[in-house]
Amino acid sequence: METSKQNHQIFVLILARFLLIIACGITLLMQKIRFPDIVALLETLEGFFLLVMFIINILYLILSHYIHRYSKQFIIFQITLDIIAETILIYLTGGTLSLFITLYFATIFSAALLINPNISYLYASFASIGISLVTALYFMASIGQIYLPFIPRQLYDAISEKNVSFYKAYLFAQCAGFYLVAFFISRYSRYNITQHSLHQEILENLSDAVIVLDKKQLLIYINKAAQNLLQISPRPNQPLLNQLHPDDHKEIIRTISMKQPQHYKTEIQQENGIIPIEIQLTPFFTKKKLEYHILIIQDISDQKRIQEEMLKTKQFQTISEIAAMIAHEIRNPLACIRGASQELQTFYTSQDMQYSLLDITIKESDRIEKIIKEFLNFSRHKQPSIRILNISEHLKEFTFYLQKRSDMQQTNIQQEIEPDLYAQADPEQLRQVLYNVAINAIESTKEMLQLSISAHQCTLETHMPDTRKFTIQERLKKYVHIQIQDNGNGFYVDNKEKLFSPFYTTKQQGTGMGLALVAKILDTHHAYYDIVSETNGTTFSIWLPVS
């Protein structure tokens, strides 16, 4: 976009120079020659000089298409050459009496607007040196010290030693005028640049994609968010439709082609998946009645995820209420059934079939009691007390106590934990999550359990297998990535989301509440999680936000 702006400045400068050359030619025609007689003008030295400048300007126009990398230097070269050309023209047309002294002001103006506000003072100095040099030459010629080539004597005969004071005052006024113009135009240019930079920075740092098109659908402006979202390398002043992918961006292409105000939600394809977006196309007119279209594309992945989380929270709340109600209603008769079964067992011996059937009743009653307890734990889950937690130390402590369990004596636990990892978490609830995942690993392994626990800092962009539901800002945030990997038998499920739903289990004796509770805790931590299971083991991943 910066290159496009500088190319536009070069074009404006060349156009302005064409107009100035034509204006100078008309002035000379009116001053010395009959107005329509252009041939007579070209026969004069001044006219020939203007013709040379006109040809040079045409060369500028041709070269401007091939110097994109050096456009700034080209502008400086042009304006510097302008100062030299104006000085020569003033020399040829009467020195201090020349009408073309005013061209210096245009050059100072151009330098401030097109190069840098402060450089206008440099070109004011060049103009002062130029007019002073021409005046000095004319004065020295008038007193017979030197001979001025190409200058008729009557042009400098009027200068004499008697009016030196006048020319000193005249030069002082001219130079003061140059610096005064440089002062005001530099202030104006600095204000203009500040305002433009501010607007540019605002647009560039917006999280929403912003694209501006003219009525011919040529790309006028595109911010960084739009380039990242559409995954394109923009070509300014070229049709945007030719820069979009016909399959991945078909909805955007359709929107642009209609040229009518639109506002709707859709999806676009990216390399890492499908992104839900909201599109708004609005036509607007500038003060000069120029028609443009502004296209705003918002990545609504975050909104969609929040809506899904709210729906999940509502479902959990409903399940919790039902679980608590059922638990209280079942517990009392269940205690009676268990007590009655134990009493009836006293009338039989262990070899009797009735004794075995009653033993099954007692065991199943105990299993139901265990399920009820898990239901109640799920329904009574409290909000986490989140604080900055040293994850490295927490994981080492968890591993130490895990190895002390009776069912973990034959387990080989490998650790790969980076030191000094900090994240936002509730220590008790995080320990509960880790225990639930570890217990799942124990129950899924028939042979000697091999458990691997690792943790390191990362971003979702580099360590999340599927980032399509996250915004670009979220992908670049820092997280602590915890992985727990076992060598169990693994499992197959057609939809991973089912694993974290209450009552869903892949184990014969499972209650379906372990991973549901894990998901509930991690959701309240604003953490992300994923599970990948194969025949040779299962990997559970957690991404805890650093801040």
Side-chain angles (χ1 to χ4, degrees):
M1 286 302 168
E2 187 65 28
T3 304
S4 174
K5 178 187 172 186
Q6 290 179 351
N7 290 339
H8 177 71
Q9 290 175 344
I10 291 172
F11 178 76
V12 169
L13 189 59
I14 292 172
L15 180 61
R17 189 178 290 103
F18 273 125
L19 295 174
L20 284 172
I21 290 171
I22 293 169
C24 289
I26 293 172
T27 303
L28 286 173
L29 280 170
M30 296 177 67
Q31 197 176 43
K32 295 187 174 184
I33 308 163
R34 289 178 300 156
F35 180 65
D37 197 349
I38 297 175
V39 177
L41 174 65
L42 295 177
E43 290 175 352
T44 64
L45 189 60
E46 303 96 302
F48 178 75
F49 179 76
L50 288 177
L51 177 63
V52 172
M53 291 304 299
F54 192 86
I55 294 170
I56 291 174
N57 216 39
I58 293 173
L59 292 175
Y60 282 163
L61 189 60
I62 296 170
L63 286 172
S64 65
H65 296 286
Y66 305 99
I67 55 167
H68 302 306
R69 291 178 60 187
Y70 305 102
S71 51
K72 195 76 171 180
Q73 292 89 329
F74 190 56
I75 292 174
I76 295 172
F77 173 75
Q78 287 185 78
I79 294 178
T80 305
L81 194 61
D82 284 347
I83 281 281
I84 297 170
E86 287 157 7
T87 304
I88 294 171
L89 187 61
I90 291 167
Y91 169 80
L92 294 174
T93 55
T96 51
L97 302 177
S98 174
L99 293 174
F100 300 113
I101 291 176
T102 53
L103 294 177
Y104 280 138
F105 294 103
T107 302
I108 296 168
F109 190 88
S110 301
L113 292 180
L114 301 182
I115 303 175
N116 184 281
N118 292 328
I119 210 168
S120 59
Y121 293 105
L122 178 63
Y123 282 94
S125 301
F126 288 160
S128 301
I129 292 169
I131 189 65
S132 300
L133 181 63
V134 171
T135 303
L137 290 174
Y138 267 66
F139 179 75
M140 291 174 70
S142 68
I143 61 175
Q145 293 291 324
I146 61 171
Y147 166 74
L148 293 183
F150 311 116
I151 305 299
R153 187 171 183 82
Q154 63 268 21
L155 287 180
Y156 54 82
D157 272 347
I159 303 175
S160 66
E161 295 183 13
K162 294 180 181 179
N163 47 20
V164 169
S165 299
F166 167 77
Y167 282 104
K168 284 183 179 179
Y170 176 81
L171 279 176
F172 177 80
Q174 282 286 7
C175 296
F178 294 150
Y179 284 107
L180 199 60
V181 168
F183 172 74
F184 284 112
I185 194 59
S186 65
R187 291 197 61 177
Y188 171 77
S189 180
R190 194 174 291 109
Y191 172 79
N192 234 14
I193 290 171
T194 303
Q195 290 298 310
H196 180 268
S197 299
L198 179 62
H199 296 161
Q200 191 82 2
E201 287 296 320
I202 291 171
L203 286 172
E204 284 298 318
N205 289 288
L206 282 176
S207 58
D208 294 345
V210 179
I211 301 171
V212 180
L213 308 171
D214 67 6
K215 62 180 180 180
K216 295 181 181 178
Q217 299 177 351
L218 300 181
L219 179 61
I220 304 301
Y221 173 79
I222 179 170
N223 68 350
K224 291 178 182 176
Q227 295 176 41
N228 293 332
L229 184 65
L230 300 180
Q231 296 180 331
I232 62 171
S233 299
R235 300 189 300 275
N237 300 316
Q238 298 292 323
L240 179 63
L241 296 179
N242 297 343
Q243 304 178 48
L244 299 176
H245 194 281
D247 295 326
D248 297 348
H249 307 131
K250 58 184 178 182
E251 286 297 324
I252 297 174
I253 292 171
R254 182 184 66 81
T255 303
I256 295 171
S257 301
M258 293 179 69
K259 297 183 180 181
Q260 297 295 326
Q262 295 185 63
H263 190 184
Y264 63 95
K265 295 179 181 179
T266 184
E267 295 177 337
I268 61 169
Q269 181 70 39
Q270 279 191 346
E271 291 180 359
N272 55 357
I274 296 173
I275 304 292
I277 59 171
E278 185 173 349
I279 296 178
Q280 183 174 355
L281 180 68
T282 308
F284 70 96
F285 294 87
T286 64
K287 293 179 181 179
K288 296 180 180 179
K289 305 299 181 185
L290 297 176
E291 182 182 353
Y292 291 92
H293 290 81
I294 182 166
L295 180 67
I296 300 175
I297 307 173
Q298 185 179 10
D299 184 347
I300 56 172
S301 303
D302 197 32
Q303 295 179 18
K304 195 171 182 180
R305 189 173 63 256
I306 290 172
Q307 290 173 356
E308 290 173 354
E309 288 176 359
M310 289 176 65
L311 180 62
K312 190 187 292 184
T313 302
K314 191 174 181 180
Q315 290 174 341
F316 277 152
Q317 187 177 358
T318 304
I319 292 169
S320 299
E321 292 172 357
I322 294 172
M325 182 181 68
I326 291 174
H328 287 296
E329 292 297 325
I330 292 177
R331 255 184 164 180
N332 289 334
L334 185 65
C336 294
I337 291 171
R338 191 181 191 286
S341 298
Q342 285 179 322
E343 186 66 29
L344 287 171
Q345 270 189 325
T346 59
F347 294 100
Y348 302 101
T349 64
S350 58
Q351 285 77 27
D352 294 332
M353 182 181 292
Q354 291 87 344
Y355 185 93
S356 298
L357 292 173
L358 290 169
D359 192 51
I360 291 172
T361 303
I362 293 168
K363 288 179 178 178
E364 291 302 311
S365 297
D366 290 339
R367 195 167 77 85
I368 293 172
E369 176 65 23
K370 179 185 175 184
I371 294 172
I372 290 172
K373 284 182 179 179
E374 290 187 1
F375 282 170
L376 289 174
N377 289 337
F378 184 81
S379 63
R380 292 169 181 169
H381 174 69
K382 63 179 182 178
Q383 286 298 315
S385 177
I386 294 177
R387 59 184 176 84
I388 297 175
L389 182 66
N390 189 325
I391 301 298
S392 303
E393 294 300 322
H394 192 77
L395 286 174
K396 289 175 182 177
E397 182 182 315
F398 161 74
T399 305
F400 175 78
Y401 287 115
L402 187 66
Q403 288 175 319
K404 299 300 180 182
R405 286 174 58 108
S406 58
D407 52 0
M408 295 291 287
Q409 295 299 316
Q410 302 300 318
T411 299
N412 179 21
I413 301 179
Q414 295 180 349
Q415 299 180 57
E416 193 176 337
I417 302 168
E418 287 185 5
D420 299 323
L421 292 174
Y422 290 89
Q424 302 281 337
D426 181 318
E428 293 302 322
Q429 292 192 8
L430 180 59
R431 188 177 290 109
Q432 189 175 3
V433 166
L434 297 172
Y435 269 122
N436 278 358
V437 174
I439 288 168
N440 276 346
I442 294 168
E443 293 175 351
S444 66
T445 306
K446 294 180 180 179
E447 300 176 357
M448 180 178 175
L449 176 62
Q450 300 282 341
L451 202 63
S452 173
I453 300 174
S454 64
H456 60 275
Q457 193 174 92
C458 69
T459 63
L460 300 183
E461 186 73 34
T462 56
H463 286 79
M464 173 75 80
D466 183 7
T467 60
R468 61 188 178 184
K469 62 182 179 180
F470 302 103
T471 62
I472 294 169
Q473 288 79 7
E474 286 179 314
R475 295 175 197 171
L476 300 177
K477 286 181 182 177
K478 291 182 179 179
Y479 291 83
V480 171
H481 183 202
I482 302 172
Q483 270 194 333
I484 301 175
Q485 188 172 8
D486 64 54
N487 63 332
N489 298 323
F491 56 85
Y492 171 77
V493 61
D494 57 348
N495 185 357
K496 277 198 265 188
E497 295 297 325
K498 289 181 181 178
L499 290 171
F500 302 103
S501 300
F503 316 122
Y504 182 86
T505 181
T506 58
K507 296 178 289 187
Q508 290 182 354
Q509 299 298 318
T511 63
M513 297 303 295
L515 286 181
L517 184 59
V518 166
K520 190 173 183 179
I521 291 172
L522 293 177
D523 284 339
T524 56
H525 278 68
H526 302 289
Y528 303 117
Y529 47 91
D530 187 40
I531 188 167
V532 176
S533 187
E534 298 175 351
T535 54
N536 60 344
T538 301
T539 302
F540 194 91
S541 299
I542 301 169
W543 289 268
L544 286 170
V546 171
S547 60

